[in-house]
Every structure is written in C-alpha cells, then in structure tokens.
Amino acid sequence: MQDSTLITIIFIFFYFSWNFYLQSRLAYMNSNDSESDEILNNIEKAEKRLNPIVHDEKKRLDDMWEIVRESIPKLWTEPIPVLVFSCNRPAAIRDHLQKLIKLRPSKDSFPITVSQDCDNAKVADEVKKFGDQVEYIKHTSGINANIEIPPRYKRRKSYFYISRHYKLALTHIFSNNSYSTVIITEDDLDIAPDFFSYFSSTRYLLEKDPHLYCVSAWNDNGKLEHIDWNANATLYRSDFFGGLGWMMARRQWEEFEPKWPDKFWDDWMREPAQRKGRQCIRPEISRTGMMVHGKKGVSKGQFYAKHLSKIKMSNFSINFEKLDLDYLLPKNFENKMDKDLADAVLIELKNITSSTWQPKVENMKVKIVYTGKAHFVNIAKKLGIMNEFRSGIPRTAYNGIVTCFFKKTRLFLVPDRSKVAIYDPTW
C-alpha cells in the first residue's frame, strides 16, 4: 500500500512538472508557430484525460494514507524509553526505579533515563547504585540557571524550574537518540503491574490516529468509589490532559519544543492553541499511583491528602496486547459513546445521591444533564468527583461528557448542548 501511495505522489509530481515544461516552451514561442499549436493541442488533450485524476488527488491520497494507517501493526516493537524526572527526593527515586526495573520486560525495550535538576548529591548517589540499568543525566539546577522570573511569580518560581527541566530532558531524549516515543514519569509515582503492557499496546494508536496527542496512565476521577473495579481493562478517550505517567510521540515534541512555555507546562498543554481539538487515552483504573513521597513537592502536598493519595491504582496484570483496542479510534469511540448515552436512563441528581439508590439492573447506565459551569460544579461536589476546569475542560471529559462509576451504576454527566459550548475557555 505504501508503494501505491508513492507511485501516486510521483505521478502527480511528474504531471505538474511536465505541464510546467510544456507551458514554458509555449511561452517562448511565437503564437503562429506550428510547434506551438501542437504543444497546445497536446496539453489540452492530456488535461482532459488527467484532470479527473489530479482534481481527485487529495481524496485519493487521503484514502491511501488511511489504508497505510490501517496497516500499522498493533504490536509496537520499537524501544520506548522511560524518562524519569527527579530533584531532591532520594528515597522517591530509589523506590520508583526499583519498581520500573522490576516490572519492565527488558532493558532494551524500555530503556530508563533519569534526569535530575536539583543539586542533591543523595539523589545522584541513589541513581548511580543502579549502574547500567539506567542512564543518568544532570542539568544545571534551575536555581542556578539565572532564569528571569517576573516579580509576581517569585513565590511560584519552582514552576519555572520544572518547565525548563522538562524542555532540557525531552530535548536530550529526542536529540541524542532515534526514539520515536517517550514515557514520562516523576519520582513520586508508583506503577501498576501492567504499566508497560498498557503503554506498548496503546502506542500504535498514536501512530494511527492524528486526533490523539498523548496516552495517560492517570484517571483524575479514579478514587475507589468512582471506578468500576470489574472494568479494569476499559480505556477512554478524553479531551483533558491528565499527565502523571504519560506517553507522547516524537512528532508531538517536535511541534511543542519550539514554543515550550517558561512556566506551568502542563496547563499550557491543555490550552486550545496546543491541544488543537486533540485527545488523550486514559484508563478506567489508573496505571500509576501517588507514593507517600508525593507529600513533599512543589505544591507542598496540598493536593496529596485530599486527592492524589486517594486515586486507586490497578493491581491487575492485564495483557493489553491480547485486546482489540481499535474501539478507541475516533469514530468507533464516538459510536460507542452515542450508544451508551442512548441506553442511559435520564435521572436527576437527587435520585442517585439518595441513600436508597440501587441500580435496577446489572451494569445499569444513567445520565444527568448539566446546563452550565455552576450546575456542573454543584453536581460534581455532590458526587465527590473533580469539579475544576482547565481551559474550559472538566477533568476526564470527552466532548463535555464526564463519566464515572457511582453506587454500582455507570453515570454520565452530559452537557445540555443548547446551553453549553464545547469548550468555553473562560470556565
């Protein structure tokens, strides 16, 4: 199929080149010249035969590229490096690396690079104990890098250091190697038994689907009371970038690198100018979790106790390679979501939050319609799920729809399309 596409491209190139050559010759000849008349006749005859093909070139090429994408193998065989960000937590980097090395299928399939920003010798010592199992790189620490920080951000200067660190480390990964992918983690993350299977099996989707720009191992609404433990292999598309253990392709970095922000890189990635309507894959049950080391960090642990520590990480070992994940492709997932919403029973919030609520049937689906930001926030608070927005997108949302599992019931929060724009960045 790739040969056919190449032939079509070559044909179109030569057609236009040939046409340009004849037109050029014609321009230099006298209009009464007999050769000029012959060339003109040849051009007219050729155009009548070739124009239908040339005019249809975009559709033909799109169709051919679609065939090429369909032929992309689902088993990803190229190495996928794991890039680990560290700073000043020796115990965290030790525990994180032990887990990565224990669970990875092989060093060649998932090479590990630790990137350290802070000048903490104990962190460096811990990493070096792993020898050739990991690559270690050290940057000039952000605090010593003479970064210009506006006065209003003096108390949040660490976010400038982090954004700079991400750019340096990602540039290292892609500039010094031929890798086509990277998995990004931080030293305070735990990983599930099927962490590597999850990422290697979803990698082909990034190649096949231009509407994806990441795969995340994190579910922002992944607390035990909001997940279906029986749906441990279920994955979703989401407009929200979750991070906290995520994967992207080289081409994505090549797009982002020239305009990488000097601060708050994760929120920057959620902005419309970067997202461009693209989505991420995320799991029903997180494949990363927050270790106790997350208490100590840039945010001073303010999100740890109330939220991060409560996200439930999977303890299953799903072999994702054996699953057909094509249901996550755009049209397939849209159709699936449409069917789920059609099957869902419309209810009011007071119904499901009642102490007497019980699903009428097994695997019951219900939906609640929200009419605006304040309405959504009120519903989310009553359910106990995340109620904040980033660039107008609720966490985990797909086309404005947020789904969770509540009281043994699959619940969808659905925007009233007549009142809610997808998405309003002012939210």
Side-chain angles (χ1 to χ4, degrees):
M1 292 303 177
Q2 290 174 325
D3 291 341
S4 300
T5 303
L6 182 60
I7 290 170
T8 301
I9 295 171
I10 292 172
F11 161 73
I12 292 169
F13 171 77
F14 277 109
Y15 165 70
F16 282 112
S17 299
W18 169 82
N19 193 291
F20 176 77
Y21 165 72
L22 292 182
Q23 293 283 4
S24 298
R25 285 192 64 191
L26 189 60
Y28 281 100
M29 293 178 182
N30 187 289
S31 60
N32 295 323
D33 193 317
S34 60
E35 184 179 0
S36 165
D37 292 338
E38 183 180 352
I39 292 174
L40 186 59
N41 288 333
N42 286 342
I43 291 175
E44 290 176 349
K45 290 178 181 178
E47 285 183 338
K48 287 180 180 178
R49 296 178 60 189
L50 296 175
N51 273 348
I53 298 175
V54 175
H55 289 166
D56 203 29
E57 67 171 280
K58 186 177 186 303
K59 184 178 186 307
R60 288 168 59 84
L61 288 174
D62 286 348
D63 289 346
M64 288 185 175
W65 282 121
E66 182 60 31
I67 293 172
V68 170
R69 283 194 293 268
E70 288 294 330
S71 69
I72 293 171
K74 297 180 181 180
L75 180 62
W76 197 258
T77 57
E78 296 178 22
I80 304 178
V82 181
L83 176 60
V84 182
F85 285 87
S86 67
C87 182
N88 57 4
R89 299 181 287 198
I93 192 63
R94 178 199 64 217
D95 294 348
H96 185 65
L97 289 178
Q98 285 177 344
K99 199 71 174 287
L100 285 172
I101 292 170
K102 176 183 177 181
L103 293 177
R104 70 176 173 181
S106 74
K107 176 183 174 182
D108 293 334
S109 298
F110 295 95
I112 299 170
T113 295
V114 176
S115 179
Q116 185 187 2
D117 186 51
C118 308
D119 294 327
N120 186 300
K122 291 183 179 179
V123 167
D125 290 343
E126 287 294 344
V127 176
K128 290 172 184 177
K129 289 178 183 178
F130 291 91
D132 64 0
Q133 290 295 308
V134 303
E135 176 193 22
Y136 171 69
I137 57 174
K138 175 72 177 70
H139 309 285
T140 300
S141 64
I143 200 169
N144 295 321
N146 298 317
I147 299 173
E148 185 175 341
I149 300 175
R152 63 187 173 129
Y153 288 114
K154 289 298 182 182
R155 292 184 177 181
R156 310 186 80 183
K157 58 187 178 182
S158 294
Y159 293 98
F160 285 75
Y161 303 156
I162 292 171
S163 192
R164 168 185 174 269
H165 187 192
Y166 263 74
K167 184 172 184 179
L168 290 172
L170 284 164
T171 298
H172 169 84
I173 285 291
F174 287 121
S175 296
N176 296 343
N177 304 279
S178 60
Y179 299 132
S180 65
T181 324
V182 65
I183 296 171
I184 296 167
T185 69
E186 297 177 13
D187 58 9
D188 55 4
L189 290 178
D190 197 359
I191 64 170
D194 54 10
F195 175 88
F196 290 102
S197 176
Y198 172 71
F199 280 117
S200 62
S201 299
T202 52
R203 175 57 183 88
Y204 84 98
L205 293 168
L206 290 179
E207 206 69 17
K208 199 169 186 177
D209 181 7
H211 302 289
L212 286 178
Y213 78 137
C214 84
V215 176
S216 174
W218 185 261
N219 175 6
D220 273 300
N221 287 320
K223 296 176 183 177
L224 185 60
E225 62 268 30
H226 297 133
I227 55 177
D228 182 358
W229 204 247
N230 293 318
N232 51 74
T234 301
L235 311 179
Y236 301 86
R237 295 179 73 96
S238 175
D239 298 306
F240 193 87
F241 169 72
L244 294 177
W246 58 286
M247 175 173 67
M248 71 172 171
R250 169 187 286 271
R251 67 176 181 277
Q252 199 61 66
W253 174 244
E254 290 174 346
E255 175 189 330
F256 286 161
E257 189 273 337
K259 56 179 181 176
W260 193 252
D262 59 1
K263 60 185 179 299
F264 311 125
W265 68 268
D266 47 353
D267 280 338
W268 176 85
M269 282 188 62
R270 295 165 181 147
E271 294 173 357
Q274 279 64 250
R275 195 173 71 84
K276 297 179 179 178
R278 293 174 293 196
Q279 299 172 323
C280 295
I281 300 299
R282 62 96 175 167
E284 168 77 12
I285 304 176
S286 289
R287 261 55 191 188
T288 52
M290 186 63 61
M291 292 192 290
V292 68
H293 309 294
K295 287 183 177 180
K296 179 184 177 182
V298 173
S299 65
K300 310 299 183 185
Q302 66 181 104
F303 301 114
Y304 178 83
K306 291 178 64 176
H307 179 63
L308 297 176
S309 65
K310 295 182 179 180
I311 300 299
K312 185 68 176 178
M313 185 182 74
S314 173
N315 58 10
F316 298 99
S317 187
I318 301 297
N319 187 348
F320 283 99
E321 286 87 352
K322 292 185 176 181
L323 304 180
D324 184 357
L325 300 180
D326 278 0
Y327 72 89
L328 293 164
L329 293 171
K331 196 62 182 176
N332 295 344
F333 191 81
E334 181 183 356
N335 292 339
K336 181 180 182 301
M337 183 62 75
D338 287 345
K339 184 179 185 307
D340 284 343
L341 292 180
D343 293 341
V345 178
L346 180 64
I347 64 168
E348 295 184 17
L349 178 63
K350 64 182 180 181
N351 298 135
I352 199 166
T353 54
S354 166
S355 60
T356 60
W357 173 266
Q358 286 289 337
K360 295 179 180 179
V361 294
E362 189 176 358
N363 300 319
M364 183 178 179
K365 300 180 180 71
V366 299
K367 57 190 173 186
I368 299 173
V369 175
Y370 66 92
T371 56
K373 180 181 178 181
H375 192 197
F376 177 89
V377 170
N378 178 61
I379 295 171
K381 285 182 177 179
K382 293 289 181 61
L383 296 173
I385 63 174
M386 295 293 284
N387 59 64
E388 67 168 355
F389 297 77
R390 287 289 189 272
S391 294
I393 305 175
R395 289 181 182 266
T396 77
Y398 165 82
N399 288 345
I401 303 162
V402 172
T403 182
C404 67
F405 200 64
F406 189 75
K407 295 185 177 180
K408 300 181 180 180
T409 308
R410 174 54 56 185
L411 171 61
F412 299 92
L413 302 187
V414 184
D416 181 336
R417 302 297 184 186
S418 68
K419 299 177 181 179
V420 179
I422 305 292
Y423 289 100
D424 185 346
T426 63
W427 285 18

